[in-house]
Amino acid sequence: ALLPSGEFSKHYFQYIRWRSLQRLISSTNNVFGTQALLLSLGAKRSKIGSTAAATWILKDTVGKLARVLWASGFGRQFDSNAKKWRFKAALLYAFGNALEVSTLLFPSSFFITAALGNAVKQVAMLTASSTRNTIYKSFSAMNDNIGDVTAKGEAQIAIIDIIGMVLGVAIGRLVDGSKGKILSIFFLSTVLELICVYREISVVFRTLNFERCCSVLPAIVHNSSVNSDTHSLKPSNVARNENLLLQSRIDETVIKVWSTLSQDGLHNFLSKREVLAGTNALDNFIVLLSMRPPSNRIEEVLVRCGLLRNRLFGYVGNRPAILSAEVLLHHRATSLDVFRALIIVWKAFKTFEHGQYENLSRSGMNPFTEVAQQLTTDAYAYEQSHLASILKSLESLGWDSKHFSFGSLRLKVDY
């Protein structure tokens, strides 16, 4: 009665096992948070009155407002980065619970602490629920029983929640309002919950997003083919190494609109429009590569460490340089066009990384500009001649080469 009908992925049971354990711990922690809020208001001494009730209502109101603002600001990213946002939701929820429990230590700051904790938890719940359907889709083998998978998943969690609440009440009776015991148990259970979430979301997606492209494309454009050494590029292996916290080197911020385009990017657009005219790529997207020396030592270190996205540090001759990438999408652009643009960016990055252009020196031309132009020309040519083989390589690895997860692609321009 609690399992969906039809075919579903072999990873489904692993997901349900860890999700159930995580939800059990989460429901138990919720009881601790509620108990802490009541104790800090004086519930143990029967002092909850109209003032406390009004405070509680205000706390919930702040949480609802935070939920609305969060959805409007980040809702477009949940589908394309479901695993990362699900893990962030778990961290946020744990932080919200921690804030509620901390009212035991700071009862005089009840409203601020409780309101902030509830707001964070509301945001976390919205994020978790928004990513759930994307995760469920990965389990549906034929995409014809997603509704059943979703319904059964929610039924499973409803039962686990009840068990967790009963367990939390039982533990609450045992600790008998002891602040030290509540905080100790809460800390241990929170650590266990985060471990469960991490294991829970080790699901395998077969569609490429920006993060997974960063794991797959560099190796493919560098080798130009798939061989026995590229088994690590299969969806199951990429899923195990997927980064759930830090941003990828090339992410959605590479896509620009006029107001966010850098001065170098705008200059490159004006100069490349004529150069690229007549190519297929100009119809739907333009990749703008620019190069300059680092502004200072701090910027160089940040780019080297991968903390500044869409940039790569290297050398032109013996001179340090930073290669930056920006992409303009025409309003007709599709997810495939985004993928094509990423091929060009990664080809240019890998070529520059291996120093194939470090000795160029035309008379009278800025060497940084010269290298950037050569990288652009070669990367465009590579994409147009290798796109079909790259898509075929992805299929042979087990990826879906017809669908991509780059979000709603709302950042588009006319040119």
Side-chain angles (χ1 to χ4, degrees):
L2 294 178
L3 292 177
S5 58
E7 297 182 18
F8 42 85
S9 166
K10 63 181 180 180
H11 303 284
Y12 176 76
F13 289 107
Q14 176 183 333
Y15 170 78
I16 288 300
R17 182 171 64 249
W18 286 106
R19 187 188 180 203
S20 297
L21 183 56
Q22 175 266 324
R23 194 60 179 246
L24 177 66
I25 299 172
S26 178
S27 298
T28 305
N29 275 346
N30 271 338
V31 176
F32 295 150
T34 303
Q35 183 182 30
L37 292 174
L38 293 173
L39 286 173
S40 63
L41 279 174
K44 197 174 183 181
R45 297 181 296 275
S46 301
K47 292 182 179 178
I48 293 185
S50 59
T51 302
T55 302
W56 199 279
I57 293 172
L58 287 173
K59 169 186 73 70
D60 288 343
T61 302
V62 171
K64 298 297 183 184
L65 290 174
R67 192 181 180 105
V68 172
L69 294 174
W70 185 264
S72 62
F74 296 97
R76 294 176 182 270
Q77 302 179 26
F78 295 154
D79 284 329
S80 58
N81 280 305
K83 292 173 68 171
K84 183 174 290 187
W85 280 105
R86 177 63 187 92
F87 192 65
K88 288 180 178 179
L91 294 175
L92 287 171
Y93 200 83
F95 179 58
N97 264 334
L99 286 173
E100 290 186 344
V101 172
S102 71
T103 57
L104 279 174
L105 303 176
F106 310 103
S108 59
S109 303
F110 174 85
F111 174 72
I112 295 177
T113 308
L116 182 58
N118 187 60
V120 173
K121 288 176 67 175
Q122 290 285 337
V123 163
M125 288 188 290
L126 169 68
T127 304
S129 62
S130 299
T131 59
R132 196 171 300 143
N133 196 47
T134 302
I135 294 175
Y136 282 150
K137 283 182 179 179
S138 70
F139 300 129
S140 180
M142 304 298 293
N143 281 331
D144 59 353
N145 62 337
I146 296 174
D148 191 28
V149 171
T150 303
K152 297 300 172 55
E154 297 310 298
Q156 295 161 3
I157 291 308
I159 294 176
I160 296 297
D161 279 345
I162 294 172
I163 298 173
M165 287 186 287
V166 171
L167 182 61
V169 170
I171 296 176
R173 289 179 180 275
L174 291 176
V175 300
D176 192 29
S178 170
K179 295 180 180 179
K181 291 179 180 178
I182 290 177
L183 292 173
S184 298
I185 295 174
F186 173 78
F187 174 77
L188 291 174
S189 60
T190 298
V191 172
L192 289 174
E193 180 186 358
L194 292 177
I195 293 174
C196 290
V197 172
Y198 184 83
R199 296 299 301 272
E200 166 196 327
I201 57 178
S202 58
V203 296
V204 178
F205 288 108
R206 301 191 182 278
T207 55
L208 290 168
N209 61 2
F210 286 99
E211 179 71 39
R212 292 186 280 278
C213 277
C214 286
S215 299
V216 175
L217 278 181
I220 289 182
V221 301
H222 178 61
N223 297 323
S224 297
S225 63
V226 174
N227 51 50
S228 58
D229 297 328
T230 56
H231 66 278
S232 61
L233 304 181
K234 292 182 177 180
S236 56
N237 293 321
V238 170
R240 283 196 289 269
N241 300 315
E242 209 164 339
N243 179 14
L244 298 179
L245 285 177
L246 300 178
Q247 294 290 338
S248 53
R249 183 175 288 274
I250 305 295
D251 66 2
E252 61 272 8
T253 60
V254 75
I255 299 175
K256 303 292 184 180
V257 293
W258 295 120
S259 60
T260 61
L261 197 63
S262 67
Q263 289 186 346
D264 286 339
L266 181 60
H267 174 75
N268 285 344
F269 169 75
L270 295 175
S271 62
K272 289 180 175 59
R273 185 176 175 84
E274 293 184 5
V275 174
L276 298 174
T279 66
N280 293 332
L282 186 61
D283 290 339
N284 293 332
F285 69 89
I286 298 178
V287 175
L288 303 171
L289 298 174
S290 56
M291 186 178 293
R292 59 175 175 78
S295 302
N296 49 57
R297 179 63 178 171
I298 295 177
E299 183 186 27
E300 178 181 331
V301 171
L302 292 176
V303 175
R304 280 177 177 268
C305 296
L307 298 178
L308 293 182
R309 293 165 286 177
N310 313 316
R311 295 173 177 83
L312 181 69
F313 179 84
Y315 290 92
V316 174
N318 60 355
R319 300 171 64 181
I322 293 177
L323 176 64
S324 301
E326 296 173 298
V327 175
L328 288 174
L329 295 179
H330 196 270
H331 66 82
R332 295 186 301 268
T334 64
S335 292
L336 178 60
D337 293 316
V338 177
F339 180 69
R340 294 175 60 197
L342 291 177
I343 292 175
I344 293 172
V345 172
W346 274 114
K347 181 59 180 177
F349 272 34
K350 294 304 291 185
T351 303
F352 180 55
E353 187 176 50
H354 288 82
Q356 297 182 19
Y357 294 95
E358 60 183 10
N359 294 318
L360 289 177
S361 57
R362 293 176 187 167
S363 176
M365 177 175 276
N366 183 315
F368 297 115
T369 302
E370 180 185 3
V371 172
Q373 288 184 357
Q374 190 65 53
L375 286 169
T376 300
T377 301
D378 290 355
Y380 263 92
Y382 173 86
E383 184 275 327
Q384 292 186 354
S385 61
H386 287 78
L387 176 62
S389 63
I390 290 176
L391 292 175
K392 185 176 180 179
S393 296
L394 291 174
E395 287 184 4
S396 69
L397 289 168
W399 294 100
D400 183 349
S401 63
K402 296 182 176 61
H403 304 92
F404 301 91
S405 298
F406 296 128
S408 57
L409 303 182
R410 63 188 178 91
L411 296 180
K412 296 183 179 181
V413 298
D414 285 313
Y415 50 79

